[in-house]
Amino acid sequence: MGILNVTPDSFSDGGIFLPTDKAIAQGLRMMEEGADIIDIGGESTRPGARPVSVQEEIDRVLPVLETLRAQIPLPLSIDTSKPEVMRAAVAAGAGFINDVRALREPGALEAAAELGVPVCLMHMQGKPRTMQENPRYDNVVADVTEFLGKRLQVAQTQGIPAVRLVIDPGFGFGKTLEHNIELLRGLKQLRGLSSAVLVGLSRKSMIGKALGLPVDRRLYASVALAVMAVQQGASIVRVHDVGPTVEALRMWAAVYPESRRE
Ligand code: 9MG
């Protein structure tokens, strides 16, 4: 899953793809580099990012979605928690909803159920503005697994079939470096919930904390983490650097062909 942030303030590429023509070019590039899905987002979730209105978010993502829909055959994902944005994006051709709030915003569950597209439910402790202020867990793997299990149940009760649900432990969303490492080591436990697992580790601050690297020097560690996550059972990796990640994962699949997933 290639990341296409149409925002002025995302943590690693804020502003770069805000002009629609730049976003389209990046979408095409990610397809050429081997992305299977492109995830388009119009509101940053980094701590301290400015919240945007429904209209502003729609105005950012819709032109990109519509143009890419006409130009590329890949599924397009909308990265949003707002039901109005979900509806507008799916009407414009999005075929996947990526919700970092796991359909907890008012109206989001109902919208996702009506829209009939696959949905990613992500774990986050707290809210983006403050989530990194002293996050705490009894047992991070067990707590995240329990949360995702409950959200899967709620979504299914609302009428979203299990086959349309994907889960994500939410690396960096209300987690310390130690929590993120424990989660990656314990990722296989999430497979017990019987849903496909998506992970986002690309360029995240856990790399900065572990290796002391600024955001523009986190490529190699991001690729390494993507491979580790797939080895641990992830089916979808959300990344900025599609080409290098695809190459590394193709090599992994050549070594472990029996583990290859659809
Ligand atoms: C939007 N976004 C930022 N980080 C993410 C992550 O780790 N997972 C998902 N699903 N979305 C994310």
Side-chain angles (χ1 to χ4, degrees):
M1 173 184 266
I3 301 171
L4 189 49
N5 287 321
V6 197
T7 57
D9 53 357
S10 288
F11 76 97
S12 89
D13 51 6
I16 300 179
F17 305 118
L18 193 52
T20 302
D21 56 334
K22 295 249 169 42
I24 307 294
Q26 176 66 359
L28 294 171
R29 180 174 169 203
M30 290 196 289
M31 178 183 71
E32 279 155 21
E33 289 182 349
D36 291 322
I37 312 176
I38 297 190
D39 188 38
I40 303 167
E43 179 175 32
S44 171
T45 46
R46 78 169 164 74
R50 184 178 72 80
V52 298
S53 68
V54 168
Q55 197 53 52
E56 197 172 352
E57 200 175 325
I58 290 178
D59 290 345
R60 285 180 186 172
V61 296
L62 235 61
V64 177
L65 247 164
E66 283 165 350
T67 312
L68 282 180
R69 178 69 295 138
Q71 294 193 21
I72 64 176
L74 295 184
L76 301 175
S77 159
I78 180 68
D79 158 16
T80 191
S81 299
K82 299 189 182 85
E84 300 88 344
V85 180
M86 292 173 189
R87 290 183 202 281
V90 172
F96 189 97
I97 295 169
N98 175 26
D99 185 1
V100 298
R101 293 176 182 81
L103 304 179
R104 285 180 293 163
E105 287 295 297
L109 258 176
E110 292 79 3
E114 272 166 48
L115 291 168
V117 299
V119 184
C120 176
L121 305 169
M122 197 196 81
H123 175 272
M124 166 169 22
Q125 186 182 84
K127 301 215 178 330
R129 186 169 289 279
T130 50
M131 65 192 176
Q132 289 309 100
E133 292 169 11
N134 200 19
R136 284 169 185 272
Y137 297 86
D138 291 331
N139 172 325
V140 69
V141 179
D143 292 1
V144 168
T145 306
E146 187 189 343
F147 170 88
L148 291 173
K150 284 190 181 148
R151 293 312 295 165
L152 282 169
Q153 269 187 350
V154 170
Q156 287 172 60
T157 305
Q158 189 66 39
I160 308 178
V163 285
R164 280 209 269 120
L165 294 165
V166 173
I167 51 174
D168 182 336
F171 287 100
F173 284 81
K175 285 137 194 133
T176 62
L177 170 61
E178 292 71 26
H179 293 142
N180 288 318
I181 288 175
E182 265 185 72
L183 266 177
L184 185 54
R185 286 194 180 150
L187 201 65
K188 280 195 173 138
Q189 279 195 40
L190 288 188
R191 302 272 316 163
L193 295 174
S194 303
S195 283
V197 174
L198 186 159
V199 298
L201 290 150
S202 181
R203 300 186 190 169
K204 286 208 171 159
S205 66
M206 68 181 279
I207 301 172
K209 294 204 178 97
L211 305 181
L213 291 172
V215 75
D216 59 347
R217 292 209 38 228
R218 296 180 188 166
L219 170 64
Y220 305 134
S222 297
V223 171
L225 287 170
V227 174
M228 286 182 237
V230 170
Q231 184 95 42
Q232 291 284 81
S235 305
I236 307 173
V237 286
R238 185 179 180 274
V239 302
H240 299 88
D241 302 289
V242 170
T245 311
V246 166
E247 199 168 298
L249 289 176
R250 284 181 57 215
M251 195 65 232
W252 178 84
V255 176
Y256 297 106
E258 71 285 356
S259 307
R260 226 181 146 151
R261 287 172 212 287
E262 286 309 307

